[in-house]
Amino acid sequence: MTITDPFTSPGHHRPTPSPAAVALTIQCRKAKTLADTAPARFERMPAPVTTTAAGGEVQLVVRPTCLADWARWTAELGCRDTRRMTNTGVAMVCRFELDGVRARLIGVGVPALLAAAYGPKGTSRV
């Protein structure tokens, strides 16, 4: 069984993609390219990075072994604003923009490193 393209018959024209759809496609391609080149780009960083791209956003997952590693990652990527970081209990998530593409840095185990260094969240620091 062959499937024919309905737009090949006379009188039927393929719709023109919307500008928003074209922009999203371009953004997704840029994110995919950035995700593909990220391991080589960040090979000198202290912890290896796992990258994925979806929906025009790049996700960088790292597992730092100390707070200095996490500080180096955030400094390298320009994530200095702690208000843009979210603590999920297991990981710290930082949203930023990398080469014009939306990105997320996920530091798995960072909350545990912070608790070990500064004490559990909510305790007094005398």
Side-chain angles (χ1 to χ4, degrees):
M1 180 169 125
T2 59
I3 299 174
T4 58
D5 185 3
F7 297 110
T8 57
S9 57
H12 292 265
H13 302 287
R14 187 171 303 279
T16 305
S18 70
V22 172
L24 182 61
T25 302
I26 292 168
Q27 193 70 13
C28 287
R29 284 185 187 149
K30 285 172 65 176
K32 177 70 173 129
T33 302
L34 191 59
D36 290 343
T37 59
R41 180 178 179 176
F42 299 118
E43 67 185 358
R44 294 183 188 258
M45 294 300 286
V49 63
T50 305
T51 59
T52 57
E57 183 175 85
V58 176
Q59 178 174 295
L60 304 154
V61 180
V62 295
R63 290 172 171 77
T65 56
C66 63
L67 287 177
D69 292 351
W70 177 245
R72 186 165 171 206
W73 271 105
T74 55
E76 178 75 22
L77 297 173
C79 301
R80 292 177 183 88
D81 188 4
T82 57
R83 293 173 294 181
R84 300 206 55 164
M85 293 185 193
T86 306
N87 184 342
T88 65
V90 176
M92 191 70 89
V93 180
C94 176
R95 295 188 179 276
F96 63 101
E97 196 167 288
L98 181 63
D99 297 342
V101 177
R102 290 179 300 133
R104 252 184 303 194
L105 175 64
I106 301 174
V108 178
V110 172
L113 294 172
L114 289 168
Y118 301 110
K121 188 175 180 179
T123 60
S124 64
R125 291 175 179 79
V126 180

